[in-house]
Amino acid sequence: MEDCIFCKIIAKQIPANVIYEDEQIIAFRDIHPVAPVHILVIPKKHIASLIDLTKEDEAIVGKIYTVINEIAEKEKLNERGFRVIVNCGEDGGQEVKHLHFHLIGGKKLGTKIVN
Ligand code: 5GP
Ligand code: ZN
């Protein structure tokens, strides 16, 4: 989709530190990491938000979670754990309007999930 920064990353029009890619999914390091490991896992299909997810796309979300699990193992996060976050819409603090899953870990994270 035009003007979508993540679609541009998918199209290799702008660079990213890509750590996983298949036909449907791409994962790359967040440009402003909030923890030692901060990776964004996204569908290649432009889905603007979780709000826009339909039954048609439910399989891709399941696959994203297994990819997250594989990446977490490679990044050595599986022993101590990690967090997956999806910000959604205005109140959810979503800045980039292309569905993305934050995989965050490598340090003890705060216990508060809302602030
Ligand atoms: P949101 O607030 O929408 O859930 O998260 C968007 C995330 O995308 C932020 O953590 C931000 O740092 C990251 N981000 C925004 N633009 C770029 C970019 O051009 N490249 C990469 N790698 N990450 C980006
Ligand atoms: Zn997009």
Side-chain angles (χ1 to χ4, degrees), residues 64-108:
I64 282 172
Y65 273 100
T66 55
V67 166
I68 285 171
N69 207 11
E70 285 170 23
I71 294 170
E73 190 180 4
K74 284 199 188 102
E75 296 286 324
K76 305 196 185 335
L77 299 178
N78 276 358
E79 196 176 317
R80 290 188 53 84
F82 54 88
R83 188 170 292 165
V84 177
I85 297 171
V86 180
N87 294 323
C88 180
E90 184 66 27
D91 279 3
Q94 183 182 4
E95 283 175 12
V96 178
K97 307 300 189 268
H98 182 130
L99 178 64
H100 52 280
F101 294 68
H102 295 257
L103 166 59
I104 296 167
K107 72 171 187 180
K108 179 81 176 165

Side-chain angles (χ1 to χ4, degrees), residues 37-66:
V37 177
H38 187 172
I39 292 163
L40 301 171
V41 185
I42 73 171
K44 286 189 172 176
K45 177 179 176 183
H46 181 88
I47 301 166
S49 160
L50 198 56
I51 294 163
D52 301 288
L53 194 72
T54 62
K55 283 234 168 244
E56 186 193 333
D57 298 316
E58 63 189 7
I60 189 73
V61 173
K63 190 174 175 195
I64 282 172
Y65 273 100
T66 55

Side-chain angles (χ1 to χ4, degrees), residues 1 4-8 10 44-47 97-98:
M1 198 200 196
C4 171
I5 197 151
F6 288 176
C7 282
K8 286 182 178 158
I10 292 161
K44 286 189 172 176
K45 177 179 176 183
H46 181 88
I47 301 166
K97 307 300 189 268
H98 182 130

